[in-house]
Amino acid sequence: MVRWAAFSCVLVPVVLVWYGTSLAGATGAALGLAAVTGVCRVLLRQSEREVARAASGARTVRTTAARSMAEDRASARGRRGRPVSGAHGGGRNSGTSTPVD
């Protein structure tokens, strides 16, 4: 992930200069991208630590199993809580299709 961020921070200014943007403008874009990339990395690591901390907490197997069963039931239902049928959950012609002459 770090390599892609570094690649984009280098590639974007090169492309900007190639298409006629000033060197100062391209440098500003590179610095802005580097700042945004750095902030995103910090936030991502913080989020990963929080998830790891929550996962290693004192959870019982029973609550995990109950949550898993609830997620399985929820995923088998459509947006409005009804069972999903067909490719998009029904619609006007949800029955079998017949050829039209």
Side-chain angles (χ1 to χ4, degrees):
M1 186 166 127
V2 175
R3 285 181 275 174
W4 281 110
F7 177 72
S8 68
C9 287
V10 171
L11 181 66
V12 168
V14 168
V15 170
L16 287 174
V17 169
W18 181 268
Y19 281 100
T21 303
S22 68
L23 193 57
T27 303
L31 292 174
L33 278 172
V36 169
T37 301
V39 170
C40 288
R41 284 187 64 199
V42 168
L43 291 174
L44 181 63
R45 285 190 179 180
Q46 181 181 4
S47 174
E48 288 172 345
R49 283 189 201 122
E50 291 295 323
V51 168
R53 187 177 301 136
S56 67
R59 265 197 269 165
T60 62
V61 177
R62 183 175 174 188
T63 57
T64 305
R67 185 176 297 134
S68 175
M69 288 172 47
E71 289 171 356
D72 288 345
R73 273 185 260 127
S75 66
R77 296 189 173 272
R79 180 174 166 188
R80 293 181 177 86
R82 293 176 287 203
V84 177
S85 64
H88 296 285
R92 190 168 178 200
N93 297 318
S94 60
T96 59
S97 61
T98 58
V100 178
D101 289 331

